[in-house]
Amino acid sequence: MIQNPKRYTITAALPYTNGPIHIGHLAGVYVPSDIYSRYLRLQGRDVLFVCGSDEHGVAISMKAKKEGITPQEVIDKYDGIIRKSFSDFGISFDNYSRTSAKIHHDTASEFFRKLYDKGDFIEEVTEQLYDAKADQFLADRFVVGTCPKCGNEEAYGDQCEKCGSTLNATDLINPKSTITGETPIMKATKHWFLPLDRYEDFLKEWILVGHKNDWKPNVYGQVKSWIDGGLEPRAVTRDLDWGIDVPVEGAEGKKLYVWFDAPIGYISSTKEWALREGKDWEPYWKDQDTKLVHFIGKDNIVFHCIIFPAMLKAEGSYILPDNVPANEFLNLEGNKLSTSKNWAVWLHEYLEEFPNQQDVLRYALTSNAPETKDNDFTWKDFQARNNNELVAIYGNFINRVVVLTNKYYNGIVPTPNELSEVDEATLTELKAYPAVISSSLERYRFREALSELMNVARLGNKYLADEEPWKVIKDNPERVQTQMYVALQIAAALSSLCEPFLPFTATKLSRILKIKSPLNWNTVAQNSDLIPAGHQIGEAELLFAKIEDEEIQKQIDKLEATKTANKAENKVAEPQKETIQFEDFTKMDIRTGTILEAEKMPKANKLLILKIDTGIDVRTIVSGIAESFKPEDIIGKKVTVLVNLAPRNLRGVESQGMILMTTNAEGKLVFVNPDTDGIANGETIN
């Protein structure tokens, strides 16, 4: 670990521009990286926080094919959505770039060319999967098949999303092309490989020895597993029509592999920032006094902890990451988040449906962050954290302090009198919190840090509850001046300490307290006079609003609708039954009819006794539809009846036929009947 770095370079994983940002991205990468960056800035540190849109690779091509537009149209569409979402949500990037920018193409090409000129690549002709029908080589994500490690039948050619294993497309069992559905063939093609095996000893020493005690166990464990399994050369080029051209002769039609060019996007984003700000970019990537931290999700661990460091080591002039605090996955209501299945809470939709409540989502995602294991986001938990914590603890304390200050002193911070032992102890405890929260943040324990922040609000609530200024004011107004002064110091501390976690709340609270510039982190730790006597504060405003059940049910219903739509889209029809002759069909007498009466069969949950006018008679039919329909709701319903089915005795009632039913996308029973009015009972279906 670097002690007392001169500067920090903080990167957040580049989001693919094949879709918007969802809560899984936020919980895994963007909220923790933003908290860390904001915290360091409050300490007065030199911080560079960079990111950008990842706009190359197969995911973009797949999206373009699906939407019937060009890759350029895809990346322009989603880059705009993503940028606005991050801005509206308060993610405080110093620079947000895109890998389609010229500065990135130039930077990635120069990086490749330097390694090529040094002889760091292996040039090799290999057999790759090829779709003969589509007449193209299949990049990783254009191949699906069975994972050789866990048996998942829907693994991609670069990764199994079920077990998390990193794969090569040729590893898959029973591979299929996602373009045509055909089984691909093997065909020779030339590519360039980064020989990871040459860097095995370096990686063992740097990570397995050097970072054994400071990297998160989930990150260290995955890296160790990979290294222990033996590293092999990995291709850095691909046969693709979308991406950065491989900048050497004989590489026509080939592009840089997205996992080679994407992490270089951090460097090109830094260059873009430096050009705009008139700064030198190199110290942020090449000075040993710089602390480099990558924030990523667990699916990117191998690339950021093995492949990118090997690239940097091969280049020779760059620093290596001091830490890669990757988070695990966040699930949604018990199911894996999925962009393709629309099983997600999209950030741009959340911001529309919960206006001015960015901090509620930041709070919920941080307090339930998947820091060392997968966690689950539920709308009920989101509601509970808002109502029971933000509203009832934090908001309640601030509201009481501001209301009482305005009531007793017209909003002017009172001059304290002699401090009691309780006052002294409270202010001493308050000054300890910056160090406590810092300790958690420096170890990337954001859930723990947020819990300590809420303990500051709890400290304030307990102080007011114990001191009861609303009672003391009658007999000892001088004492209340001191009590309110102490309570206001806690409120002022919260306006600073909450800024990394709840930046919109910090701004609002500073406005209420009329604190013009944010209090420095160290000021809170050292001073008891954060908001001086005589200072005028503003009127009370609610920091957080209660979220009602109806709002949450709306979101749950929205997800249920998505689940239903997915079932309908992915439903596979049952295979055809054994072939019959025409004469077999003509034996069935199927007629239209109308339900005249309906009642439940005694002591039978599933059966209804129906009286049906078949046009040729009125007959009794017993049907197993009682769990789907109430008797009174189906009287008068038009139905289709198999009238010449042999009678059958069901619980003492003779059933003389069968009504025809099917199921909808939700699995609910539906009557099969004519779609035109005026069809008489008894008409035959043939």
PDB file of all heavy atoms in Angstrom, residues 446-475:
ATOM      1  N   PHE A 446     -17.646   0.444   2.645  1.00  0.00           N
ATOM      2  CA  PHE A 446     -18.595   1.547   2.488  1.00  0.00           C
ATOM      3  C   PHE A 446     -19.870   1.330   3.302  1.00  0.00           C
ATOM      4  O   PHE A 446     -20.455   2.292   3.805  1.00  0.00           O
ATOM      5  CB  PHE A 446     -18.907   1.747   1.004  1.00  0.00           C
ATOM      6  CG  PHE A 446     -17.679   2.097   0.209  1.00  0.00           C
ATOM      7  CD1 PHE A 446     -16.990   1.139  -0.513  1.00  0.00           C
ATOM      8  CD2 PHE A 446     -17.176   3.389   0.218  1.00  0.00           C
ATOM      9  CE1 PHE A 446     -15.840   1.454  -1.219  1.00  0.00           C
ATOM     10  CE2 PHE A 446     -16.032   3.725  -0.480  1.00  0.00           C
ATOM     11  CZ  PHE A 446     -15.358   2.754  -1.202  1.00  0.00           C
ATOM     12  N   ARG A 447     -20.303   0.110   3.423  1.00  0.00           N
ATOM     13  CA  ARG A 447     -21.477  -0.170   4.270  1.00  0.00           C
ATOM     14  C   ARG A 447     -21.189   0.217   5.716  1.00  0.00           C
ATOM     15  O   ARG A 447     -22.019   0.839   6.378  1.00  0.00           O
ATOM     16  CB  ARG A 447     -21.834  -1.661   4.190  1.00  0.00           C
ATOM     17  CG  ARG A 447     -22.345  -2.118   2.851  1.00  0.00           C
ATOM     18  CD  ARG A 447     -22.489  -3.629   2.765  1.00  0.00           C
ATOM     19  NE  ARG A 447     -23.461  -4.146   3.713  1.00  0.00           N
ATOM     20  CZ  ARG A 447     -23.856  -5.413   3.747  1.00  0.00           C
ATOM     21  NH1 ARG A 447     -23.343  -6.286   2.900  1.00  0.00           N
ATOM     22  NH2 ARG A 447     -24.742  -5.808   4.624  1.00  0.00           N
ATOM     23  N   GLU A 448     -20.039  -0.171   6.185  1.00  0.00           N
ATOM     24  CA  GLU A 448     -19.618   0.141   7.556  1.00  0.00           C
ATOM     25  C   GLU A 448     -19.511   1.650   7.752  1.00  0.00           C
ATOM     26  O   GLU A 448     -19.965   2.193   8.772  1.00  0.00           O
ATOM     27  CB  GLU A 448     -18.271  -0.529   7.808  1.00  0.00           C
ATOM     28  CG  GLU A 448     -17.719  -0.403   9.197  1.00  0.00           C
ATOM     29  CD  GLU A 448     -16.392  -1.134   9.323  1.00  0.00           C
ATOM     30  OE1 GLU A 448     -16.409  -2.362   9.553  1.00  0.00           O
ATOM     31  OE2 GLU A 448     -15.340  -0.479   9.166  1.00  0.00           O
ATOM     32  N   ALA A 449     -18.943   2.342   6.759  1.00  0.00           N
ATOM     33  CA  ALA A 449     -18.794   3.799   6.856  1.00  0.00           C
ATOM     34  C   ALA A 449     -20.149   4.484   6.909  1.00  0.00           C
ATOM     35  O   ALA A 449     -20.357   5.429   7.682  1.00  0.00           O
ATOM     36  CB  ALA A 449     -17.986   4.312   5.664  1.00  0.00           C
ATOM     37  N   LEU A 450     -21.095   4.009   6.088  1.00  0.00           N
ATOM     38  CA  LEU A 450     -22.435   4.609   6.081  1.00  0.00           C
ATOM     39  C   LEU A 450     -23.138   4.383   7.417  1.00  0.00           C
ATOM     40  O   LEU A 450     -23.834   5.269   7.928  1.00  0.00           O
ATOM     41  CB  LEU A 450     -23.262   4.010   4.942  1.00  0.00           C
ATOM     42  CG  LEU A 450     -24.668   4.585   4.771  1.00  0.00           C
ATOM     43  CD1 LEU A 450     -24.619   6.070   4.419  1.00  0.00           C
ATOM     44  CD2 LEU A 450     -25.446   3.814   3.705  1.00  0.00           C
ATOM     45  N   SER A 451     -22.935   3.204   7.989  1.00  0.00           N
ATOM     46  CA  SER A 451     -23.522   2.911   9.299  1.00  0.00           C
ATOM     47  C   SER A 451     -22.986   3.872  10.361  1.00  0.00           C
ATOM     48  O   SER A 451     -23.739   4.354  11.221  1.00  0.00           O
ATOM     49  CB  SER A 451     -23.213   1.464   9.688  1.00  0.00           C
ATOM     50  OG  SER A 451     -23.715   1.171  10.975  1.00  0.00           O
ATOM     51  N   GLU A 452     -21.686   4.188  10.291  1.00  0.00           N
ATOM     52  CA  GLU A 452     -21.097   5.136  11.245  1.00  0.00           C
ATOM     53  C   GLU A 452     -21.640   6.548  11.026  1.00  0.00           C
ATOM     54  O   GLU A 452     -21.833   7.307  11.977  1.00  0.00           O
ATOM     55  CB  GLU A 452     -19.572   5.125  11.128  1.00  0.00           C
ATOM     56  CG  GLU A 452     -18.916   3.816  11.554  1.00  0.00           C
ATOM     57  CD  GLU A 452     -19.121   3.502  13.028  1.00  0.00           C
ATOM     58  OE1 GLU A 452     -19.565   4.391  13.790  1.00  0.00           O
ATOM     59  OE2 GLU A 452     -18.832   2.362  13.438  1.00  0.00           O
ATOM     60  N   LEU A 453     -21.879   6.910   9.761  1.00  0.00           N
ATOM     61  CA  LEU A 453     -22.493   8.216   9.495  1.00  0.00           C
ATOM     62  C   LEU A 453     -23.862   8.305  10.176  1.00  0.00           C
ATOM     63  O   LEU A 453     -24.181   9.316  10.814  1.00  0.00           O
ATOM     64  CB  LEU A 453     -22.654   8.431   7.987  1.00  0.00           C
ATOM     65  CG  LEU A 453     -23.511   9.661   7.612  1.00  0.00           C
ATOM     66  CD1 LEU A 453     -22.766  10.952   7.928  1.00  0.00           C
ATOM     67  CD2 LEU A 453     -23.929   9.609   6.157  1.00  0.00           C
ATOM     68  N   MET A 454     -24.668   7.253  10.039  1.00  0.00           N
ATOM     69  CA  MET A 454     -25.989   7.263  10.660  1.00  0.00           C
ATOM     70  C   MET A 454     -25.885   7.292  12.181  1.00  0.00           C
ATOM     71  O   MET A 454     -26.792   7.785  12.860  1.00  0.00           O
ATOM     72  CB  MET A 454     -26.797   6.048  10.191  1.00  0.00           C
ATOM     73  CG  MET A 454     -27.231   6.130   8.744  1.00  0.00           C
ATOM     74  SD  MET A 454     -28.233   7.610   8.370  1.00  0.00           S
ATOM     75  CE  MET A 454     -29.740   7.197   9.256  1.00  0.00           C
ATOM     76  N   ASN A 455     -24.772   6.784  12.711  1.00  0.00           N
ATOM     77  CA  ASN A 455     -24.576   6.858  14.158  1.00  0.00           C
ATOM     78  C   ASN A 455     -24.396   8.305  14.628  1.00  0.00           C
ATOM     79  O   ASN A 455     -24.684   8.623  15.782  1.00  0.00           O
ATOM     80  CB  ASN A 455     -23.369   6.018  14.581  1.00  0.00           C
ATOM     81  CG  ASN A 455     -23.688   4.534  14.597  1.00  0.00           C
ATOM     82  OD1 ASN A 455     -24.860   4.145  14.677  1.00  0.00           O
ATOM     83  ND2 ASN A 455     -22.661   3.702  14.504  1.00  0.00           N
ATOM     84  N   VAL A 456     -23.920   9.181  13.738  1.00  0.00           N
ATOM     85  CA  VAL A 456     -23.836  10.604  14.085  1.00  0.00           C
ATOM     86  C   VAL A 456     -25.238  11.166  14.273  1.00  0.00           C
ATOM     87  O   VAL A 456     -25.514  11.909  15.227  1.00  0.00           O
ATOM     88  CB  VAL A 456     -23.067  11.397  12.998  1.00  0.00           C
ATOM     89  CG1 VAL A 456     -23.006  12.877  13.372  1.00  0.00           C
ATOM     90  CG2 VAL A 456     -21.660  10.841  12.822  1.00  0.00           C
ATOM     91  N   ALA A 457     -26.151  10.813  13.357  1.00  0.00           N
ATOM     92  CA  ALA A 457     -27.543  11.250  13.494  1.00  0.00           C
ATOM     93  C   ALA A 457     -28.181  10.645  14.741  1.00  0.00           C
ATOM     94  O   ALA A 457     -28.959  11.302  15.445  1.00  0.00           O
ATOM     95  CB  ALA A 457     -28.336  10.868  12.248  1.00  0.00           C
ATOM     96  N   ARG A 458     -27.833   9.386  15.024  1.00  0.00           N
ATOM     97  CA  ARG A 458     -28.359   8.740  16.238  1.00  0.00           C
ATOM     98  C   ARG A 458     -27.836   9.447  17.495  1.00  0.00           C
ATOM     99  O   ARG A 458     -28.561   9.597  18.483  1.00  0.00           O
ATOM    100  CB  ARG A 458     -27.968   7.258  16.260  1.00  0.00           C
ATOM    101  CG  ARG A 458     -28.702   6.412  15.234  1.00  0.00           C
ATOM    102  CD  ARG A 458     -28.384   4.919  15.401  1.00  0.00           C
ATOM    103  NE  ARG A 458     -29.150   4.121  14.463  1.00  0.00           N
ATOM    104  CZ  ARG A 458     -28.715   3.743  13.254  1.00  0.00           C
ATOM    105  NH1 ARG A 458     -27.485   4.095  12.871  1.00  0.00           N
ATOM    106  NH2 ARG A 458     -29.477   3.029  12.468  1.00  0.00           N
ATOM    107  N   LEU A 459     -26.566   9.865  17.425  1.00  0.00           N
ATOM    108  CA  LEU A 459     -25.987  10.624  18.536  1.00  0.00           C
ATOM    109  C   LEU A 459     -26.809  11.888  18.793  1.00  0.00           C
ATOM    110  O   LEU A 459     -27.130  12.217  19.951  1.00  0.00           O
ATOM    111  CB  LEU A 459     -24.538  10.996  18.213  1.00  0.00           C
ATOM    112  CG  LEU A 459     -23.822  11.936  19.193  1.00  0.00           C
ATOM    113  CD1 LEU A 459     -23.550  11.217  20.512  1.00  0.00           C
ATOM    114  CD2 LEU A 459     -22.513  12.447  18.585  1.00  0.00           C
ATOM    115  N   GLY A 460     -27.176  12.575  17.722  1.00  0.00           N
ATOM    116  CA  GLY A 460     -27.978  13.787  17.859  1.00  0.00           C
ATOM    117  C   GLY A 460     -29.358  13.510  18.422  1.00  0.00           C
ATOM    118  O   GLY A 460     -29.839  14.231  19.317  1.00  0.00           O
ATOM    119  N   ASN A 461     -30.011  12.470  17.929  1.00  0.00           N
ATOM    120  CA  ASN A 461     -31.346  12.125  18.425  1.00  0.00           C
ATOM    121  C   ASN A 461     -31.309  11.749  19.901  1.00  0.00           C
ATOM    122  O   ASN A 461     -32.185  12.134  20.683  1.00  0.00           O
ATOM    123  CB  ASN A 461     -31.920  10.953  17.611  1.00  0.00           C
ATOM    124  CG  ASN A 461     -32.656  11.418  16.366  1.00  0.00           C
ATOM    125  OD1 ASN A 461     -33.336  12.441  16.385  1.00  0.00           O
ATOM    126  ND2 ASN A 461     -32.514  10.687  15.279  1.00  0.00           N
ATOM    127  N   LYS A 462     -30.291  10.972  20.278  1.00  0.00           N
ATOM    128  CA  LYS A 462     -30.173  10.563  21.684  1.00  0.00           C
ATOM    129  C   LYS A 462     -29.923  11.775  22.583  1.00  0.00           C
ATOM    130  O   LYS A 462     -30.508  11.887  23.677  1.00  0.00           O
ATOM    131  CB  LYS A 462     -29.043   9.547  21.847  1.00  0.00           C
ATOM    132  CG  LYS A 462     -28.916   8.981  23.271  1.00  0.00           C
ATOM    133  CD  LYS A 462     -27.816   7.939  23.358  1.00  0.00           C
ATOM    134  CE  LYS A 462     -27.809   7.281  24.736  1.00  0.00           C
ATOM    135  NZ  LYS A 462     -27.705   8.230  25.855  1.00  0.00           N
ATOM    136  N   TYR A 463     -29.075  12.685  22.108  1.00  0.00           N
ATOM    137  CA  TYR A 463     -28.780  13.885  22.900  1.00  0.00           C
ATOM    138  C   TYR A 463     -30.063  14.685  23.152  1.00  0.00           C
ATOM    139  O   TYR A 463     -30.348  15.081  24.289  1.00  0.00           O
ATOM    140  CB  TYR A 463     -27.745  14.739  22.167  1.00  0.00           C
ATOM    141  CG  TYR A 463     -27.402  16.017  22.897  1.00  0.00           C
ATOM    142  CD1 TYR A 463     -26.534  16.012  23.983  1.00  0.00           C
ATOM    143  CD2 TYR A 463     -27.966  17.234  22.503  1.00  0.00           C
ATOM    144  CE1 TYR A 463     -26.230  17.185  24.669  1.00  0.00           C
ATOM    145  CE2 TYR A 463     -27.669  18.410  23.170  1.00  0.00           C
ATOM    146  CZ  TYR A 463     -26.802  18.383  24.260  1.00  0.00           C
ATOM    147  OH  TYR A 463     -26.506  19.540  24.936  1.00  0.00           O
ATOM    148  N   LEU A 464     -30.850  14.901  22.113  1.00  0.00           N
ATOM    149  CA  LEU A 464     -32.094  15.669  22.280  1.00  0.00           C
ATOM    150  C   LEU A 464     -33.094  14.922  23.161  1.00  0.00           C
ATOM    151  O   LEU A 464     -33.760  15.523  24.008  1.00  0.00           O
ATOM    152  CB  LEU A 464     -32.725  15.960  20.919  1.00  0.00           C
ATOM    153  CG  LEU A 464     -32.050  17.039  20.064  1.00  0.00           C
ATOM    154  CD1 LEU A 464     -32.788  17.203  18.749  1.00  0.00           C
ATOM    155  CD2 LEU A 464     -31.995  18.373  20.801  1.00  0.00           C
ATOM    156  N   ALA A 465     -33.203  13.595  22.933  1.00  0.00           N
ATOM    157  CA  ALA A 465     -34.156  12.805  23.719  1.00  0.00           C
ATOM    158  C   ALA A 465     -33.788  12.808  25.195  1.00  0.00           C
ATOM    159  O   ALA A 465     -34.663  12.878  26.074  1.00  0.00           O
ATOM    160  CB  ALA A 465     -34.203  11.376  23.183  1.00  0.00           C
ATOM    161  N   ASP A 466     -32.486  12.740  25.497  1.00  0.00           N
ATOM    162  CA  ASP A 466     -32.045  12.727  26.896  1.00  0.00           C
ATOM    163  C   ASP A 466     -32.156  14.109  27.535  1.00  0.00           C
ATOM    164  O   ASP A 466     -32.536  14.237  28.711  1.00  0.00           O
ATOM    165  CB  ASP A 466     -30.594  12.237  26.991  1.00  0.00           C
ATOM    166  CG  ASP A 466     -30.446  10.763  26.653  1.00  0.00           C
ATOM    167  OD1 ASP A 466     -31.487  10.061  26.592  1.00  0.00           O
ATOM    168  OD2 ASP A 466     -29.295  10.314  26.428  1.00  0.00           O
ATOM    169  N   GLU A 467     -31.828  15.139  26.770  1.00  0.00           N
ATOM    170  CA  GLU A 467     -31.782  16.496  27.319  1.00  0.00           C
ATOM    171  C   GLU A 467     -33.154  17.169  27.358  1.00  0.00           C
ATOM    172  O   GLU A 467     -33.394  18.049  28.193  1.00  0.00           O
ATOM    173  CB  GLU A 467     -30.804  17.348  26.509  1.00  0.00           C
ATOM    174  CG  GLU A 467     -29.348  16.911  26.632  1.00  0.00           C
ATOM    175  CD  GLU A 467     -28.840  17.037  28.061  1.00  0.00           C
ATOM    176  OE1 GLU A 467     -28.843  18.163  28.606  1.00  0.00           O
ATOM    177  OE2 GLU A 467     -28.463  15.994  28.650  1.00  0.00           O
ATOM    178  N   GLU A 468     -34.037  16.808  26.442  1.00  0.00           N
ATOM    179  CA  GLU A 468     -35.419  17.315  26.394  1.00  0.00           C
ATOM    180  C   GLU A 468     -35.513  18.850  26.492  1.00  0.00           C
ATOM    181  O   GLU A 468     -36.128  19.394  27.421  1.00  0.00           O
ATOM    182  CB  GLU A 468     -36.250  16.680  27.514  1.00  0.00           C
ATOM    183  CG  GLU A 468     -36.353  15.166  27.388  1.00  0.00           C
ATOM    184  CD  GLU A 468     -37.205  14.559  28.497  1.00  0.00           C
ATOM    185  OE1 GLU A 468     -36.984  14.903  29.683  1.00  0.00           O
ATOM    186  OE2 GLU A 468     -38.106  13.771  28.182  1.00  0.00           O
ATOM    187  N   PRO A 469     -34.914  19.584  25.581  1.00  0.00           N
ATOM    188  CA  PRO A 469     -34.950  21.051  25.659  1.00  0.00           C
ATOM    189  C   PRO A 469     -36.367  21.613  25.658  1.00  0.00           C
ATOM    190  O   PRO A 469     -36.607  22.686  26.231  1.00  0.00           O
ATOM    191  CB  PRO A 469     -34.166  21.490  24.416  1.00  0.00           C
ATOM    192  CG  PRO A 469     -34.163  20.303  23.507  1.00  0.00           C
ATOM    193  CD  PRO A 469     -34.163  19.120  24.389  1.00  0.00           C
ATOM    194  N   TRP A 470     -37.322  20.927  25.018  1.00  0.00           N
ATOM    195  CA  TRP A 470     -38.712  21.397  24.990  1.00  0.00           C
ATOM    196  C   TRP A 470     -39.347  21.394  26.374  1.00  0.00           C
ATOM    197  O   TRP A 470     -40.335  22.104  26.595  1.00  0.00           O
ATOM    198  CB  TRP A 470     -39.540  20.550  24.017  1.00  0.00           C
ATOM    199  CG  TRP A 470     -39.316  19.060  24.175  1.00  0.00           C
ATOM    200  CD1 TRP A 470     -39.967  18.224  25.006  1.00  0.00           C
ATOM    201  CD2 TRP A 470     -38.335  18.281  23.483  1.00  0.00           C
ATOM    202  NE1 TRP A 470     -39.470  16.949  24.901  1.00  0.00           N
ATOM    203  CE2 TRP A 470     -38.471  16.948  23.957  1.00  0.00           C
ATOM    204  CE3 TRP A 470     -37.366  18.564  22.533  1.00  0.00           C
ATOM    205  CZ2 TRP A 470     -37.667  15.905  23.493  1.00  0.00           C
ATOM    206  CZ3 TRP A 470     -36.571  17.532  22.062  1.00  0.00           C
ATOM    207  CH2 TRP A 470     -36.725  16.211  22.542  1.00  0.00           C
ATOM    208  N   LYS A 471     -38.785  20.617  27.322  1.00  0.00           N
ATOM    209  CA  LYS A 471     -39.264  20.650  28.706  1.00  0.00           C
ATOM    210  C   LYS A 471     -38.455  21.634  29.546  1.00  0.00           C
ATOM    211  O   LYS A 471     -39.004  22.384  30.354  1.00  0.00           O
ATOM    212  CB  LYS A 471     -39.176  19.253  29.337  1.00  0.00           C
ATOM    213  CG  LYS A 471     -40.160  18.244  28.760  1.00  0.00           C
ATOM    214  CD  LYS A 471     -40.049  16.917  29.505  1.00  0.00           C
ATOM    215  CE  LYS A 471     -41.043  15.892  28.948  1.00  0.00           C
ATOM    216  NZ  LYS A 471     -40.918  14.583  29.648  1.00  0.00           N
ATOM    217  N   VAL A 472     -37.142  21.639  29.299  1.00  0.00           N
ATOM    218  CA  VAL A 472     -36.236  22.474  30.099  1.00  0.00           C
ATOM    219  C   VAL A 472     -36.475  23.958  29.845  1.00  0.00           C
ATOM    220  O   VAL A 472     -36.253  24.803  30.724  1.00  0.00           O
ATOM    221  CB  VAL A 472     -34.765  22.102  29.796  1.00  0.00           C
ATOM    222  CG1 VAL A 472     -33.790  22.988  30.570  1.00  0.00           C
ATOM    223  CG2 VAL A 472     -34.511  20.624  30.120  1.00  0.00           C
ATOM    224  N   ILE A 473     -36.964  24.306  28.660  1.00  0.00           N
ATOM    225  CA  ILE A 473     -37.119  25.715  28.270  1.00  0.00           C
ATOM    226  C   ILE A 473     -37.980  26.495  29.257  1.00  0.00           C
ATOM    227  O   ILE A 473     -37.790  27.704  29.451  1.00  0.00           O
ATOM    228  CB  ILE A 473     -37.706  25.821  26.832  1.00  0.00           C
ATOM    229  CG1 ILE A 473     -37.616  27.251  26.301  1.00  0.00           C
ATOM    230  CG2 ILE A 473     -39.144  25.327  26.784  1.00  0.00           C
ATOM    231  CD1 ILE A 473     -36.255  27.692  25.939  1.00  0.00           C
ATOM    232  N   LYS A 474     -38.913  25.825  29.920  1.00  0.00           N
ATOM    233  CA  LYS A 474     -39.830  26.517  30.839  1.00  0.00           C
ATOM    234  C   LYS A 474     -39.108  27.036  32.084  1.00  0.00           C
ATOM    235  O   LYS A 474     -39.385  28.139  32.559  1.00  0.00           O
ATOM    236  CB  LYS A 474     -40.951  25.563  31.271  1.00  0.00           C
ATOM    237  CG  LYS A 474     -41.817  25.063  30.104  1.00  0.00           C
ATOM    238  CD  LYS A 474     -42.785  23.978  30.579  1.00  0.00           C
ATOM    239  CE  LYS A 474     -43.547  23.390  29.400  1.00  0.00           C
ATOM    240  NZ  LYS A 474     -44.406  22.248  29.817  1.00  0.00           N
ATOM    241  N   ASP A 475     -38.204  26.209  32.602  1.00  0.00           N
ATOM    242  CA  ASP A 475     -37.570  26.563  33.874  1.00  0.00           C
ATOM    243  C   ASP A 475     -36.110  26.998  33.745  1.00  0.00           C
ATOM    244  O   ASP A 475     -35.580  27.671  34.632  1.00  0.00           O
ATOM    245  CB  ASP A 475     -37.632  25.362  34.841  1.00  0.00           C
ATOM    246  CG  ASP A 475     -39.066  24.929  35.102  1.00  0.00           C
ATOM    247  OD1 ASP A 475     -39.930  25.815  35.275  1.00  0.00           O
ATOM    248  OD2 ASP A 475     -39.309  23.703  35.105  1.00  0.00           O
TER     249      ASP A 475
END
